[in-house]
Amino acid sequence: MSPDTSSHAYDAIVVGGGHNGLVNAGYLAKAGLRTLVLEQRDLVGGAAITEELLPGFSFTTFSYALSLLRPDIIQELDLVEHGFMPLMMPSSFHPTGDGDYLLLGDDHAQNLQEIRRHSRHDADAYDRYHHDLDRVVQAIRPLFDHAPPNVFGPKSERDPEDQAEVAWLLDHLGGVEQKVMHDVVRLLTGSASDWLEDYFEHEAVKGFHASSSIIGSKVGPMSPGSGLVLLFHKMGEHDGHLGSWAFHKGGNGGFTQVLARAAEAFGAEIRLGSRVDSVITSNGRAVGVALEDGTEFRADVVVSALDPRRTFLELVEPRELPADLVENIERMKFRGVSAKVNFALDGLPVFPALPDSDAQYGGFLNIGPTIEYVERAFDAAKYGWYSERPFIDAAIQSVVDPDMAPPGKHVMSCFVQYAPYELKGGDWETERENFGDKAQAVLESHFPGFGDLVLHREVVTPVDIERVTGLTEGNIFAGEFLAPQMYFFRPAPGWSQYRTPIDGYYQCGSGTHPGGCVIGSPGKLASDRVLRDLRSSS
Amino acid sequence: MIRTTPFHPRLGELNTQGLYTQWQGYLSALRYTDAPKHEYFAVRNAVGVFDTSPLYKYRIQGPDAEQFLAGVLVRDVRLCRPGNAQYTLWCDDRGFVMEDGVVFRHSDTDFLLTAARPNLGWFSDLRGRLRVEIEDVSESYGILAVQGPRSRTVLAMLMPEAGSLPFFGLADTKLGSSPVTLSRTGYTGDLGFEVTVEADQAVGVLDAILDAGRGHGVRPFGEEALMMLRIEAGLPLVDVEWHNSRTAFTDHERVTPTELGMGWMLRGVADGDRAFVGGAAIRRELATKSSRWASVGIVVDWRAWDMLHRDAGLLPPKDEHPLPYESVLHDRPTTAGGSQVGYVTSFMYSPVLQKHIGLARVRPDVASPGSEVHMELAINHSNTTVLARTARLPLFNPPRKAAKP
Ligand SMILES: Cc1cc2nc3c(=O)[nH]c(=O)nc-3n(C[C@H](O)[C@H](O)[C@H](O)COP(=O)(O)OP(=O)(O)OC[C@H]3O[C@@H](n4cnc5c(N)ncnc54)[C@H](O)[C@@H]3O)c2cc1C
């Protein structure tokens, strides 16, 4: 086929219209580049989409809550003008497994009383815990919002700009208090369970705090490494409250629609139904992309917003890349363990201890009463099977956003673990509904009569995640949150600055620093890289 | 003795907190739940109800009622046709604002005026020989504000008129068997209505509305949420944005309608001949352009706010609860020898705008939108300033607020 060039002269092409691709395109277009986003599906958003599977019921097929998104992106891309609207979660609910519950709300003093109801000891521990965590977040956040500087290799070969960044980094870390730095290391290397033991005595209070330590990761709360996952999920904020989460209006798909409008308002063009087959290179430089249908688009900058496997092993020829990079990408760990079971409900579930209340349904419903419960759920995954009694992070989003379901009806999103991508001696097509039944049985045990409310059930397996979004092995973060896969080493040593070995070819997916979640910084930091490179080459 | 409103028997039951303030001698809920911000979101994303019954209500009737009101209110009431309502001010004879309220015009000769403070004496004394009766009917009615994007859908299930009422329109209708006045008015800057109902029917009407709203996320909201909403909506509040000129001690405390940002109410005044209390002074102010202040919004530079706090070792606060005090505005940072150009009367972090915003009064020469000002605030116990820019009011103004149905 003949290259379709003159009519499509772009400065930059972004492959993949997930939220990072859209953020990246927004910044590039804002800087004046003629920018094209190519998305394989008929809607943008990737793992952050909302779909109407049943008339009037909006399902957050994959991701469902917002916190990590960097506040500067909201401002710099004028997102409010395009409909950005995070809705507060007025409560968090944690059934304790014995019929009782922990119900936390927006009032600090009342929350302390609720914790005292279970453990007097843990009430002030709760304050110390959050303060210590806030201090850790405060210390490492600047690292989150900057590209990792290059500290390796002979000094003579390093970019002077990098040297300034290294000096900044050392200066910043030097200013961090010793206790805080110690806590950072405890979290980055240890288990969530050990960390929580230092504060809390009550099993359910620990269980409540442990839930974010395993999200999307093949770890249990007792595994080293779960501390890092816990910390990552505290790095965000909602309206200045560190570690708080919100529901975006219309679900996370509502959010990515906002991003698409913002990018378009800056002049970016979004082409749906355009699956990219490969990046076209010439003399070691990227010069454009070819779609699967043969259409070609030319641009001097090509940014892959896909995960590292696709960026390095599929869109380009691995044979043209340095062997150590290919090796590192090949051994990068993905190992998705998360699934979704989404429900359309005829009404609100009933929690027997709170029969007439709906106050418990304003935010996350954390179904994993104790650390032991969650760790046992993890055991199955170690040996290649899904949990008999899984951990569930549920949300009935229509309670705070009535536009998500018809009046009186509800949508319930359940993020379920553990569901390993590879089943030993089985396959997900066969197990899909069995797994859905396990999740539903857990819900039934906490909310008797739950099954009678179900109008529709959608089971999204790790294989579905991979098939629909392209996230390898269904890993929700485009590469596990393991210390050797973070910061300087994300996605691979030497390639953490959004460039690739191919000139003009960049990466901005969640597999780059700082990583996954609906966060936007990979997209933003990669655009900085592209724009700086363009400036220094012109 | 503190009093309770006609809706209190039910709203009191729904109040999980028991935290009240008082509003003109009535218990008024600060919040119904532990999350006033969630109540705020009822209005920005679903539907909320607010008990606004403590307002004073005056029935003004008679063949000369229109002429009377045209002579005491700042805005020309003759332009308010029956079946409409009008937000208005009244001034003293020096053209300084006393209070604000809403006039509901039921017919050529029948008006209801709401006011935040008692005003019967003031109005009665101005009647002269006009054939007009003024009756204080404050206790006879409850008023329930039903506000938010879903308010129309919910009320239309109970009163078809809700589906067709224009912005500031009103209809005398029935909700079930209770006669009510339904008006498309409110104090939130969103799509919204108010239902005025006879006191003894109030609970029944409230129940019907809560029932109809159940699948639509209806919840009561308290004064804390109301404050956030009205600041975003650019709606001034007496004793916060200004003081009643009759009880002010100095002219610093007083404002004219123009200074209060209500110059738009004066359409036709400069060249007209309508005589009203304060009119002559207001004409002079318009002719000589002697207004001392302009009311504007301010929007804090988000980067400056974050940096200021981060550099001080603090987490940048984003608190939706308004500051309980005024802040001074300078033309330059105080460290660079800035001098005062205005003051901020209300200040908060706006969840829907994702910025710190305020209602302010600035010298007219720095009022044009986008002018840079520096707001004083204390960080780690010492005074500093943060960059902000002036902006047109209201800062939050969704099309649905005034859209034709
Ligand atoms: C089930 C699930 C639940 C989650 N829950 C949350 C949550 O609640 N909160 C949170 O913050 N994070 C959550 N996450 C993580 C978060 O959603 C992801 O980390 C993030 O959305 C990834 O964004 P991305 O832009 O980097 O990649 P993606 O969203 O994966 O975007 C990649 C895009 O590229 C497109 N694409 C792929 N291949 C091609 C091709 N060859 N040509 C053209 N287009 C292509 C895809 O269709 C997709 O649109 C969840 C993830 C999953 C899977």
Side-chain angles (χ1 to χ4, degrees):
Chain A
M1 275 213 189
S2 69
D4 181 356
T5 45
S6 56
S7 61
H8 291 108
Y10 296 99
D11 297 319
I13 293 170
V14 178
V15 182
H19 84 285
N20 278 313
L22 295 170
V23 166
N24 186 259
Y27 277 98
L28 295 180
K30 185 180 174 182
L33 302 195
R34 287 162 302 173
T35 305
L36 173 67
V37 179
L38 296 169
E39 165 56 44
Q40 63 176 0
R41 294 195 70 195
D42 57 2
L43 86 167
V44 293
I49 55 171
T50 305
E51 294 177 292
E52 193 173 344
L53 290 191
L54 207 60
F57 292 86
S58 297
F59 281 72
T60 48
T61 314
F62 307 110
S63 77
Y64 47 102
L66 196 66
S67 172
L68 273 295
L69 176 68
R70 311 322 290 154
D72 46 345
I73 296 174
I74 301 168
Q75 306 294 346
E76 288 164 350
L77 295 184
D78 300 334
L79 297 188
V80 169
E81 278 170 36
H82 299 283
F84 180 72
M85 190 169 179
L87 303 169
M88 95 174 291
M89 295 184 187
S91 62
S92 283
F93 185 54
H94 180 81
T96 48
D98 52 2
D100 203 344
Y101 59 87
L102 195 62
L103 174 56
L104 300 182
D106 198 38
D107 185 293
H108 180 71
Q110 291 174 50
N111 288 344
L112 294 188
Q113 291 294 352
E114 174 69 355
I115 289 171
R116 274 184 84 239
R117 196 167 70 78
H118 297 278
S119 158
R120 285 167 186 255
H121 167 278
D122 286 355
D124 53 312
Y126 180 76
D127 268 349
R128 284 197 303 279
Y129 173 81
H130 281 286
H131 184 72
D132 288 354
L133 207 49
D134 283 352
R135 295 297 303 268
V136 167
V137 172
Q138 198 183 20
I140 60 174
R141 238 175 128 155
L143 278 65
F144 227 63
D145 289 328
H146 285 79
N150 186 11
V151 294
F152 307 106
K155 260 199 172 149
S156 55
E157 286 173 22
R158 288 190 219 151
D159 189 337
E161 213 168 317
D162 254 353
Q163 294 314 295
E165 291 274 312
V166 172
W168 163 84
L169 178 67
L170 291 178
D171 183 60
H172 171 76
L173 294 179
V176 174
E177 262 173 48
Q178 186 172 298
K179 170 186 164 38
V180 175
M181 194 49 91
H182 188 221
D183 286 346
V184 170
V185 175
R186 286 204 300 155
L187 278 162
L188 294 186
T189 60
S191 74
S193 167
D194 285 350
W195 164 257
L196 291 164
E197 294 282 353
D198 291 338
Y199 294 90
F200 302 113
E201 62 165 30
H202 193 271
E203 293 309 325
V205 175
K206 281 186 271 184
F208 171 72
H209 287 98
S211 62
S212 59
S213 72
I214 53 139
I215 300 289
S217 307
K218 194 170 180 181
V219 293
M222 296 178 183
S223 323
S226 52
L228 188 158
V229 179
L230 181 149
L231 175 59
F232 194 94
H233 285 94
K234 295 291 164 198
M235 292 297 296
E237 65 175 85
H238 168 58
D239 287 350
H241 302 283
L242 294 191
S244 278
W245 289 72
F247 293 129
H248 193 276
K249 167 107 195 107
N252 276 358
F255 168 64
T256 46
Q257 290 300 314
V258 168
L259 272 182
R261 289 196 288 274
E264 285 173 336
F266 284 115
E269 197 180 309
I270 297 171
R271 198 173 190 272
L272 300 172
S274 305
R275 186 173 161 82
V276 173
D277 174 71
S278 54
V279 174
I280 307 168
T281 58
S282 164
N283 299 326
R285 265 206 66 85
V287 294
V289 302
L291 301 190
E292 269 191 345
D293 67 6
T295 316
E296 295 185 358
F297 295 96
R298 298 276 160 173
D300 287 344
V301 170
V302 175
V303 187
S304 166
L306 311 188
D307 81 9
R309 284 269 169 88
R310 317 220 175 246
T311 301
F312 293 108
L313 307 184
E314 289 183 12
L315 292 185
V316 296
E317 287 296 344
R319 290 179 303 283
E320 292 174 14
L321 302 175
D324 66 328
L325 170 61
V326 173
E327 223 169 86
N328 275 311
I329 296 298
E330 270 172 352
R331 69 169 168 230
M332 189 173 181
K333 299 263 181 288
F334 290 84
R335 304 183 300 189
V337 286
S338 316
K340 282 289 291 287
V341 181
N342 297 318
F343 296 96
L345 299 179
D346 202 22
L348 281 177
V350 175
F351 188 74
L354 293 165
D356 303 316
S357 158
D358 59 6
Q360 67 272 29
Y361 300 128
F364 293 138
L365 319 185
N366 196 53
I367 315 289
T370 60
I371 287 181
E372 185 177 328
Y373 175 100
V374 180
E375 186 69 22
R376 287 192 186 284
F378 172 55
D379 285 342
K382 284 189 253 182
Y383 309 109
W385 205 249
Y386 51 83
S387 318
E388 179 66 22
R389 291 184 60 73
F391 159 81
I392 301 177
D393 184 36
I396 310 181
Q397 209 152 333
S398 45
V399 169
V400 297
D401 189 359
D403 292 343
M404 303 278 290
K409 317 272 185 230
H410 291 281
V411 282
M412 183 171 186
S413 150
C414 295
F415 181 89
V416 188
Q417 274 186 211
Y418 294 78
Y421 172 77
E422 241 173 279
L423 291 177
K424 202 171 193 168
D427 66 82
W428 274 112
E429 253 351 277
T430 316
E431 297 302 329
R432 168 190 308 277
E433 295 306 325
N434 294 335
F435 175 77
D437 290 345
K438 301 278 183 219
Q440 191 168 325
V442 168
L443 293 170
E444 187 73 38
S445 71
H446 292 279
F447 307 97
F450 180 84
D452 300 337
L453 299 171
V454 175
L455 300 172
H456 182 81
R457 184 174 91 183
E458 178 198 33
V459 180
V460 181
T461 71
V463 172
D464 298 326
I465 296 173
E466 177 179 62
R467 181 176 45 79
V468 177
T469 66
L471 288 165
T472 297
E473 294 178 20
N475 181 284
I476 73 168
F477 305 129
E480 278 188 284
F481 287 165
L482 300 168
Q485 300 188 169
M486 302 302 274
Y487 203 50
F488 298 128
F489 310 120
R490 195 168 184 88
W495 300 103
S496 61
Q497 296 190 319
Y498 311 98
R499 291 192 186 112
T500 72
I502 299 170
D503 273 352
Y505 183 43
Y506 294 85
Q507 36 166 349
C508 80
S510 294
T512 61
H513 173 77
C517 279
V518 180
I519 176 170
S521 18
K524 176 184 164 168
L525 294 172
S527 75
D528 285 348
R529 181 77 267 158
V530 170
L531 294 169
R532 276 205 268 163
D533 286 355
L534 285 177
R535 246 176 274 135
S536 58
S537 70
S538 64
Chain B
M1 248 281 279
I2 193 109
R3 310 178 69 159
T4 56
T5 75
F7 299 109
H8 183 76
R10 182 70 71 246
L11 288 179
E13 285 171 11
L14 297 176
N15 191 324
T16 64
Q17 306 290 297
L19 291 175
Y20 290 88
T21 182
Q22 68 145 311
W23 178 11
Q24 291 297 304
Y26 285 88
L27 278 187
S28 180
L30 279 168
R31 45 170 81 180
Y32 286 85
T33 62
D34 68 349
K37 183 172 169 187
H38 183 54
E39 299 170 22
Y40 151 97
F41 271 119
V43 177
R44 292 290 180 244
N45 192 48
V47 50
V49 299
F50 182 84
D51 182 359
T52 179
S53 307
L55 285 174
Y56 288 92
K57 307 161 203 79
Y58 300 109
R59 165 139 293 143
I60 300 168
Q61 284 173 311
D64 295 333
E66 182 188 76
Q67 193 189 342
F68 169 73
L69 289 173
V72 296
L73 300 178
V74 168
R75 213 170 152 193
D76 192 346
V77 83
R78 297 170 303 183
L79 302 175
C80 177
R81 303 315 309 153
N84 285 283
Q86 216 184 35
Y87 172 58
T88 191
L89 301 172
W90 48 102
C91 283
D92 66 10
D93 56 354
R94 294 176 65 213
F96 285 118
V97 177
M98 291 174 60
E99 283 186 40
D100 64 346
V102 175
V103 195
F104 296 86
R105 185 161 195 180
H106 291 276
S107 75
D108 281 343
T109 56
D110 181 11
F111 298 81
L112 187 99
L113 175 69
T114 60
R117 305 279 179 270
N119 274 274
L120 187 66
W122 169 257
F123 286 123
S124 300
D125 291 351
L126 291 170
R127 271 175 311 172
R129 288 181 299 168
L130 294 180
R131 292 164 300 164
V132 56
E133 305 258 341
I134 310 177
E135 189 190 353
D136 183 339
V137 294
S138 301
E139 287 81 1
S140 312
Y141 298 95
I143 307 180
L144 189 73
V146 184
Q147 305 278 303
R150 293 252 171 162
S151 57
R152 177 153 47 210
T153 309
V154 168
L155 289 175
M157 288 189 249
L158 304 165
M159 296 170 283
E161 293 87 346
S164 55
L165 218 52
F167 192 42
F168 273 92
L170 70 80
D172 289 308
T173 174
K174 278 197 163 159
L175 196 161
S177 56
S178 305
V180 299
T181 299
L182 175 69
S183 55
R184 194 160 149 204
T185 49
Y187 194 57
T188 65
D190 221 298
L191 173 64
F193 299 80
E194 287 171 310
V195 180
T196 305
V197 53
E198 283 164 30
D200 59 354
Q201 322 254 321
V203 170
V205 159
L206 170 64
D207 283 344
I209 291 171
L210 292 176
D211 213 40
R214 210 163 302 287
H216 299 272
V218 71
R219 11 185 215 279
F221 61 103
E223 286 206 21
E224 288 178 69
L226 186 77
M227 280 305 139
M228 306 166 197
L229 295 160
R230 67 115 194 143
I231 294 170
E232 290 177 342
L235 297 167
L237 181 62
V238 63
D239 290 339
V240 178
E241 264 68 41
W242 86 98
H243 284 94
N244 183 328
S245 65
R246 291 281 299 173
T247 53
F249 283 92
T250 70
D251 284 355
H252 293 295
E253 293 184 320
R254 300 188 169 98
V255 290
T256 67
T258 306
E259 291 169 349
L260 190 57
M262 300 293 162
W264 58 271
M265 284 190 183
L266 304 175
R267 206 169 310 132
V269 167
D271 312 312
D273 56 2
R274 176 169 62 98
F276 64 96
V277 180
I282 288 173
R283 281 196 184 91
R284 218 174 306 122
E285 179 191 355
L286 293 176
T288 60
K289 298 193 167 42
S290 60
S291 309
R292 301 161 299 169
W293 301 108
S295 286
V296 296
I298 60 155
V299 178
V300 172
D301 185 276
W302 63 273
R303 208 185 295 271
W305 178 271
D306 281 9
M307 267 192 3
L308 196 61
H309 289 88
R310 290 223 172 102
D311 290 352
L314 301 169
L315 300 174
K318 295 180 179 168
D319 191 348
E320 68 279 5
H321 288 96
L323 289 185
Y325 47 80
E326 282 188 357
S327 309
V328 170
L329 292 175
H330 298 277
D331 54 358
R332 274 174 296 149
T334 35
T335 46
S339 54
Q340 186 174 358
V341 289
Y343 55 100
V344 182
T345 50
S346 291
F347 185 81
M348 67 181 283
Y349 175 79
S350 162
V352 289
L353 297 171
Q354 295 280 301
K355 288 203 168 117
H356 288 89
I357 61 166
L359 304 182
R361 213 154 285 131
V362 296
R363 271 187 351 224
D365 57 299
V366 293
S368 58
S371 305
E372 290 195 350
V373 289
H374 298 265
M375 186 179 104
E376 206 161 67
L377 76 168
I379 295 215
N380 285 339
H381 311 295
S382 52
N383 260 339
T384 179
T385 52
V386 64
L387 174 65
R389 290 180 188 80
T390 59
R392 223 183 293 282
L393 291 171
L395 295 169
F396 178 74
N397 197 21
R400 61 180 180 256
K401 172 179 92 174
K404 292 208 180 74

